């Protein structure tokens, strides 16, 4: 008889399904637009070479067109040169080998190794694969005569031109919205983690919960690395892009914003690591006194509100109310820090080391959150917010 799943089993399955659903995200607008552009470019290239030029193997043109609808116009142009050179090399190697040997199998054994080596060795990125695959196509179709080789190169050139034209003229990709999303998420994620720390310290926490805090702080540093990558894409998407000036723009945070939150992320990593070690039985590091933990919880709660105000400022702009609220919460955090430092006196050596490490990280955190000039780092003129 089949055993019925228990309530715990059903809950576990539901949790796993929820996690899987979060990981498998539906395609966003940018992915949909680029996919439709690639399909349209392939259709145009096929029509031009197959119907108008009456090419004997029109496959090369749509193949090149799809490959060159890249994430940026600059990348399309750069990849076009690489792709054409790889396809030309693969075509000439295969045609030369079969004309030399007169046998397809022997020609494959001669042409394929250098074609693969060229694709792996040359600085062609993902386009290196086209050298051996083109050689295989030429040998499989038997199109290795001189006119056939000329047609292969012509079809590739037509497909490359169509792919570049479609990518550059039809909603040319500009990657700035992702930069803004990642940049604005930094203070929000810091505020959320600081609130969790405050609530956990106030209510009591165990080693498992402290480990989750530490991993969350590490995820923030991963988000900063993703932000740096996104900035590179945004900068590249402006190069040789004929349509970026026609798109609506919005200010994006400068690199100083990344530096600020990288420091904040480092403080949180140190803070959560100390809390984790204090909760671990293996380390033997005692927790600070309860009164000190209460003051630390108040400090972190006030720091969380400072980060929350920074998120509001980046999304809606600064005003006097937000400036005042931020200054008040920062002052509350510093008062809580001063009050918690008094508990260092009279503690045993190990407890004092634990509390001292936590207070040093909190002091550095508040110093980082204290603006030197103005409320936020300078904003720079960013690309279009309508792009993906």
């Amino acid at each position: 008889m089949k055993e019925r799943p228990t309530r715990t089993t059903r809950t576990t399955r539901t949790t796993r399904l929820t996690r899987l659903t979060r990981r498998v995200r539906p395609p966003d607008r940018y992915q949909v637009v680029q996919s439709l552009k690639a399909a349209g470019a392939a259709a145009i290239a096929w029509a031009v070479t197959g119907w108008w030029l009456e090419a004997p193997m029109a496959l090369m043109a749509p193949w090149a067109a799809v490959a060159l609808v890249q994430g940026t116009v600059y990348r399309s142009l750069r990849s076009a040169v690489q792709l054409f050179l790889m396809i030309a090399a693969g075509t000439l190697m295969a045609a030369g080998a079969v004309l030399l040997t007169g046998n397809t199998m022997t020609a494959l054994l001669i042409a394929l190794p250098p074609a693969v080596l060229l694709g792996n060795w040359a600085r062609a990125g993902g386009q290196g694969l086209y050298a051996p695959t083109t050689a295989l196509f030429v040998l499989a179709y038997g199109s290795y005569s001189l006119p056939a080789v000329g047609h292969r190169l012509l079809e590739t050139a037509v497909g490359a031109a169509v792919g570049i034209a479609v990518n550059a003229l039809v909603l040319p990709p500009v990657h700035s919205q992702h930069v803004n999303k990642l940049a604005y998420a930094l203070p929000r994620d810091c505020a959320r983690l600081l609130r969790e720390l405050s609530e956990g310290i106030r209510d009591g926490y165990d080693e498992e919960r402290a480990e989750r805090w530490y991993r969350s702080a590490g995820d923030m540093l991963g988000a900063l690395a993703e932000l740096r990558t996104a900035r590179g894409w945004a900068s590249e998407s402006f190069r040789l892009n004929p349509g970026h000036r026609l798109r609506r723009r919005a200010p994006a945070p400068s690199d100083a914003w990344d530096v600020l939150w990288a420091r904040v992320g480092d403080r949180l990593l140190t803070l959560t690591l100390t809390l984790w070690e204090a909760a671990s039985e293996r380390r033997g590091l005692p927790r600070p006194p309860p009164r000190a933990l209460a003051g630390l919880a108040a400090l972190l709660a006030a720091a969380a509100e400072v980060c929350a105000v920074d998120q509001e400022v980046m999304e809606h702009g600064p005003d006097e109310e937000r400036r005042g609220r931020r200054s008040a919460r920062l002052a509350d955090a510093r008062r809580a820090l001063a009050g918690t430092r008094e508990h260092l006196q009279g503690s045993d050596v190990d407890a004092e080391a634990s509390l001292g490490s936590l207070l040093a990280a909190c002091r550095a955190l508040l110093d980082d959150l204290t603006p030197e000039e103005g409320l936020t780092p300078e904003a720079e003129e960013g690309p279009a917010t309508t792009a993906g």
Side-chain angles (χ1 to χ4, degrees):
M1 183 175 180
K2 194 172 182 179
E3 191 174 325
R4 295 183 61 186
T6 62
R7 183 175 181 180
T8 304
T9 304
R10 289 195 298 269
T11 303
T12 303
R13 290 177 180 174
T14 303
T15 304
R16 290 177 180 174
L17 182 60
T18 303
R19 291 176 180 174
L20 181 61
T21 304
R22 290 176 180 175
R23 291 177 184 174
V24 183
R25 298 179 180 177
D28 57 20
R29 177 180 176 274
Y30 161 75
Q31 293 171 328
V32 172
V33 169
Q34 291 298 102
S35 299
L36 293 175
K37 286 166 60 176
I44 295 172
W46 188 293
V48 170
T49 55
W51 294 347
W52 185 33
L53 298 179
E54 297 182 353
M57 194 170 74
L59 171 66
M60 304 299 293
W63 190 25
V66 169
L68 294 179
V69 179
Q70 299 273 333
T72 65
V73 176
Y74 168 77
R75 190 156 300 207
S76 292
L77 290 166
R78 187 186 66 183
S79 299
V81 176
Q82 297 170 342
L83 180 142
F84 185 83
L85 291 176
M86 291 298 103
I87 289 181
T91 301
L92 293 175
M93 285 180 185
V98 77
L99 291 175
L100 179 65
T101 62
N103 182 272
T104 303
M105 177 61 71
T106 306
L108 186 146
L109 295 175
I110 293 175
L112 207 54
V116 174
L117 178 61
L118 177 64
N120 292 331
W121 172 76
R123 296 181 179 179
Q127 313 305 321
L129 181 64
Y130 288 97
T133 52
T134 302
L136 289 174
F137 275 130
V138 169
L139 293 174
Y141 277 88
S143 53
Y144 36 75
S145 64
L146 187 60
V149 169
H151 269 291
R152 297 298 81 72
L153 301 181
L154 176 61
E155 293 156 17
T156 301
V158 171
V162 171
I164 293 171
V166 169
N167 201 36
L169 301 178
V170 181
L171 295 176
V174 176
H175 301 271
S176 66
Q177 188 178 15
H178 191 47
V179 173
N180 290 338
K181 286 180 180 178
L182 291 173
Y184 297 169
L186 293 175
R188 180 198 64 204
D189 294 342
C190 285
R192 182 172 60 240
L193 179 57
L194 286 168
R195 290 192 188 101
E196 291 178 2
L197 293 176
S198 176
E199 294 171 0
I201 292 173
R202 185 183 298 111
D203 301 337
Y205 67 95
D206 55 11
E207 181 180 356
E208 182 180 355
R209 191 174 184 183
E211 182 181 359
R212 289 200 302 269
W213 292 339
Y214 180 71
R215 295 186 184 279
S216 297
D219 291 340
M220 283 194 54
L221 298 180
L224 282 163
E226 187 179 354
L227 175 58
R228 286 192 291 270
T229 302
R231 284 191 183 278
W233 274 95
S235 176
E236 183 182 304
S237 67
F238 267 59
R239 300 176 66 180
L240 306 175
N241 190 330
H244 73 272
R245 297 186 181 278
L246 303 177
R247 313 286 284 278
R248 181 166 56 91
R249 297 176 179 226
S254 67
D255 293 341
W257 182 253
D258 303 0
V259 175
L260 168 64
W261 292 102
R263 293 200 304 263
V264 171
D266 287 336
R267 311 308 180 197
L268 290 176
L269 199 65
T270 302
L271 186 63
T272 53
L273 178 60
T274 305
L275 291 171
W276 185 15
E277 291 180 336
S280 174
E281 297 179 357
R282 297 185 300 274
R283 294 285 294 173
L285 186 67
R287 299 191 187 195
R291 290 186 178 180
L293 288 177
L296 186 64
L299 187 160
L300 296 176
E305 294 306 313
V306 174
C307 295
V309 174
D310 280 348
Q311 180 193 356
E312 295 178 17
V313 169
M314 292 307 298
E315 291 182 346
H316 308 293
D319 58 21
E320 291 302 323
E321 188 274 334
R322 293 190 180 96
R323 287 192 178 93
R325 184 152 47 95
R326 190 183 195 277
S327 299
R329 296 298 177 267
L330 195 57
D332 292 341
R334 292 198 176 278
R335 282 193 294 270
L337 176 65
T340 308
R341 291 177 62 181
E342 298 177 357
H343 296 285
L344 285 173
Q345 302 175 358
S347 303
D348 61 66
V349 176
D350 290 336
E352 185 174 344
S354 176
L355 180 58
S357 178
L358 292 171
L359 291 178
C362 289
R363 171 66 183 272
L365 173 66
L366 297 182
D367 288 343
D368 291 333
L369 292 176
T370 301
E372 297 180 0
E373 296 182 3
L375 184 58
T376 58
E378 291 183 2
E380 62 186 4
E381 188 70 12
T385 56
T386 56

